Amino acid sequence: MKKIIKNGTIVTAADTYQADILIENEKISTIGSNFSEDGAEVVDAKGCYVFPGGIDPHTHLEMPFGGTVSRDDFETGTIAAAFGGTTTVIDFCLTNKGEPLKNAIQTWHDKSKDKAVIDYSFHLMIGETNEDVLAELPSVIEDEGITSFKVFMAYKNVFQADDETLFRTLVTAKELGGLVMVHAENGDVIEYLVKKALDEGKTDPIYHALTRPPEAEGEATGRAAQLTGLADSQLYVVHVSCEEAVQRIAEARNKGYDVWGETCPQYLVLDQSYLEKPNFEGAKYVWSPPLREKENQEVLWNALKNGQLQTLGSDQCSFDFNGQKDLGRGDFSKIPNGGPIIEDRVSILFSEGVKKGRITLNQFVDITSTRIAKLFGLYPNKGTISVGADADIVIFDPTVERTISADTHHMAVDYNAFEGMNVTGETVTVLSRGEFVIRDKQFVGSPGKGKYIKRNKYGSYQEEKSKQMN
């Protein structure tokens, strides 16, 4: 059945205007007014914004880490994402050294099969570069549509790769049309600082932050950016948390390097003091990079406003406080890293960003959806409201005031990192390719309806656009 969304205010990364949307065969077929309503389902969006569905470029669903597995899988995680106004997630396939890359990809296909309620795609971790790995990458891109590769510069003896691996991945990505992503922290230095702290009997959660100082993030970010320039390649720095990293990204971009930066809502509104909460409550806020001193928040907001940072991911990786986070009682290094963020990503940016005048409404759409779609080969099918695009649409009430709480969230985890925070703005209705997933704040979707999306190569949208202009 065709659908008509009427009386709403459409907001894209470039425009804000009043119009109605006609949806047919999973796509936006027409944008205009006075459509015939015969045989159509009409959705009244009066008083609401109509956004393109959010895209979360950074999730870890059902991810093994630290002897346990993150609580939200592709069913609960995508349901929570949808409630928060996200219609596409890109998750990370973790690889094992010495094993074919296709094994990791198949593992993630198995995890996600018949579970997701919204569309999804994968990034692929690169932990080593040898002839076998490099020989597989063309088919990863062409057959699987995986066009982004994650290199960890941290988690020594677990995920961390060396600089040669990073550099060879950058060189290969340039040749093949991939985008290299880095977790930028100096894992060797952090390993030394963690061991030193534990030897001195410093075991509380706060030492997770104190042994991962911002200098270690800034140094790794700068190193990755310099290697990107040397390789004449492209880089996306995930979960930027501090001034030191922002400065390195800005410097690289000023040199003309193709470097992009993502931050996360937790770094915009929470700070290092949360790790000092008594009774081991600080463990709820252990993730990497750690929360920083409060003054970094305005640096990050300004970086989003002026374009030094371009996107917002969640870094969703939820672990229960009871039974998972408490594996690290008496040893902060054993606390599973990660938090439940996926559901509140969009609303926090709207409430703290748009409503408080830190960013514009159009920037909000760009940061949560459009720029991500362009960088990761999803645009223009996703990331915008235009004729021919997938009908991934969010109807959002900008006036509702609510309090974030584990009592009302839809994640499968026993706490909320933003517990008690008051926000303005709420997702009312969500459509994924024209089908309701959330309707009037109620879940009406079905596990398995979400599709795996093969993505285009890095820069494909820009290349196509330049061809049209010539």
Side-chain angles (χ1 to χ4, degrees), residues 261-304:
E262 161 200 287
T263 191
C264 307
Q266 53 270 41
Y267 302 118
L268 295 171
V269 298
L270 306 178
D271 64 72
Q272 185 175 299
S273 67
Y274 282 76
L275 283 92
E276 297 181 277
K277 285 178 175 276
N279 303 318
F280 199 64
E281 291 272 328
K284 293 178 177 178
Y285 305 92
V286 167
W287 43 70
S288 299
L291 293 174
R292 302 299 187 187
E293 297 282 8
K294 196 173 182 67
E295 58 264 24
N296 288 279
Q297 292 176 2
E298 282 308 305
V299 173
L300 296 173
W301 280 113
N302 288 333
L304 286 173

Side-chain angles (χ1 to χ4, degrees), residues 35-221:
F35 298 133
S36 168
E37 296 180 5
D38 289 347
E41 186 170 6
V42 178
V43 183
D44 190 351
K46 186 175 183 180
C48 292
Y49 290 129
V50 181
F51 296 137
I55 302 170
D56 192 337
H58 191 157
T59 68
H60 300 284
L61 301 174
E62 199 179 323
M63 187 189 98
F65 186 90
T68 187
V69 178
S70 63
R71 281 284 285 123
D72 282 287
D73 63 9
F74 277 85
E75 182 174 334
T76 64
T78 57
I79 289 172
F83 270 105
T86 292
T87 55
T88 306
V89 299
I90 314 180
D91 207 76
F92 289 88
C93 304
L94 300 182
T95 57
N96 295 312
K97 289 183 180 180
E99 293 185 12
L101 300 177
K102 65 181 180 182
N103 288 11
I105 297 168
Q106 187 57 51
T107 296
W108 256 255
H109 278 307
D110 292 343
K111 287 177 189 284
S112 54
K113 182 176 172 58
D114 298 330
K115 286 186 177 180
V117 305
I118 55 175
D119 291 349
Y120 61 98
S121 190
F122 299 147
H123 310 291
L124 181 66
M125 170 190 163
I126 303 294
E128 59 182 343
T129 46
N130 52 45
E131 296 313 310
D132 291 338
V133 168
L134 296 176
E136 268 196 273
L137 287 180
S139 66
V140 168
I141 290 175
E142 298 296 338
D143 299 341
E144 291 287 342
I146 295 175
T147 55
S148 43
F149 307 109
K150 171 82 168 284
V151 178
F152 285 91
M153 301 173 77
Y155 298 117
K156 189 175 176 68
N157 302 319
V158 183
F159 299 138
Q160 185 178 328
D162 58 23
D163 286 351
E164 180 187 356
T165 296
L166 173 56
F167 188 69
R168 292 183 74 181
T169 303
L170 285 162
V171 170
T172 306
K174 176 67 175 181
E175 295 169 357
L176 299 179
L179 178 59
V180 178
M181 313 168 76
V182 288
H183 175 138
E185 290 184 288
N186 189 316
D188 293 329
V189 169
I190 289 167
E191 180 80 359
Y192 169 83
L193 294 174
V194 168
K195 185 176 186 305
K196 182 173 183 292
L198 292 174
D199 286 347
E200 294 171 355
K202 297 172 178 175
T203 62
D204 291 339
I206 185 60
Y207 291 102
H208 173 76
L210 299 179
T211 57
R212 303 181 87 100
E215 291 85 355
E217 184 181 344
E219 185 279 329
T221 303

Side-chain angles (χ1 to χ4, degrees), residues 360-376:
T360 69
L361 192 57
N362 305 106
Q363 282 181 310
F364 161 83
V365 171
D366 197 46
I367 290 164
T368 57
S369 183
T370 310
R371 180 61 51 186
I372 298 162
K374 290 178 177 178
L375 286 172
F376 291 104

